[in-house]
Amino acid sequence: MPGPLNPGRRGLLAALPAAAAACATRPPPPLATGPASEAVHVVSRDWHSDIGLEVRDLRGRLAALGANWPGARSLVLGFGERGYLLSRDRSLADMAMALLPGPGAMLVTGLSTDPAAAFGREAAIRLRVTPEGMAGLQRYLEDSFEWTDAGDPLRLSDGPYAGAVFYGSAMTYSAGFTCNTWTAEALAQAGLPVRVGGVLFSGQVMAQVRTLAGA
């Protein structure tokens, strides 16, 4: 969910009991071995994190999704709570309600450049994964969407800025499974050695990502 973190929301999250921290919703695959030849971008936007992929690397249903942005070089995908994301007038009560288990949503943004150029190299870090890891990541991303009977992602509305669209998610958002838990699990499904359990905040994701990038 893009945008600055409201101090009230930070307080609400900080007050959650430790027991709310979620574990991975699925077991991670074995750590990927072999040549890491494909790029995954992890984007931090204040308290939120996203996954970015080059359009040319998209496969299957994700490739069909990418065709909705003709000329785009990359897509940035993020997960959030549906009611909060779609609300145009967010209050502290909306923020509190977003912590309760509820339907998720996906925000997809098409970029004419790579994420590092769009968000800055400090905010968008590129990792390398194996082809097997990329396949695992894209399966996870596919599973994150809600699909119609026709095989299309369920479109909810235009996004908050040009080039962005909200889609339904098949996953449930909660205080224990946030946008950042989702990002960490996506990286784990790519075969990267990322801790998922207890990850709620973007800093917990980005600290691991920066360690991996440095390694």
Side-chain angles (χ1 to χ4, degrees):
M1 293 179 286
L5 174 60
N6 183 292
R9 184 175 176 86
R10 188 185 298 275
L12 285 168
L13 288 172
L16 293 171
C23 295
T25 60
R26 65 187 73 191
L31 296 182
T33 59
S37 57
E38 304 201 39
V40 175
H41 303 265
V42 186
V43 180
S44 173
R45 290 192 268 179
D46 191 20
W47 54 277
H48 172 83
S49 58
D50 292 310
I51 295 290
L53 294 176
E54 303 290 329
V55 170
R56 65 187 179 188
D57 294 332
L58 298 177
R59 304 163 187 168
R61 285 181 165 183
L62 294 184
L65 174 67
N68 292 321
W69 284 267
R73 178 175 171 181
S74 57
L75 289 188
V76 175
L77 304 93
F79 171 75
E81 199 275 331
R82 186 176 302 190
Y84 182 82
L85 281 177
L86 298 180
S87 174
R88 299 299 183 184
D89 184 20
R90 297 165 184 164
S91 66
L92 190 61
D94 293 325
M95 297 173 186
M97 289 298 294
L99 301 179
L100 300 175
M106 300 294 295
L107 177 61
V108 183
T109 306
L111 301 176
S112 60
T113 184
D114 65 42
F119 298 102
R121 296 193 178 280
E122 287 297 314
I125 298 176
R126 185 175 67 179
L127 300 175
R128 291 286 184 179
V129 300
T130 66
E132 179 185 16
M134 177 63 79
L137 169 62
Q138 293 202 32
R139 283 193 297 270
Y140 179 78
L141 296 179
E142 276 197 21
D143 290 346
S144 297
F145 284 87
E146 185 176 352
W147 299 91
T148 68
D149 291 341
D152 301 315
L154 179 64
R155 192 182 193 280
L156 299 177
S157 72
D158 290 339
Y161 38 79
V165 177
F166 288 123
Y167 294 95
S169 174
M171 295 185 173
T172 298
Y173 186 97
S174 71
F177 190 88
T178 70
C179 55
N180 303 304
T181 319
W182 176 87
T183 299
E185 186 166 290
L187 297 174
Q189 293 301 315
L192 294 170
V194 173
R195 176 177 59 85
V196 178
V199 171
L200 300 176
F201 304 104
S202 62
Q204 295 172 290
V205 175
M206 298 310 293
Q208 296 185 75
V209 168
R210 291 189 175 96
T211 298
L212 291 173

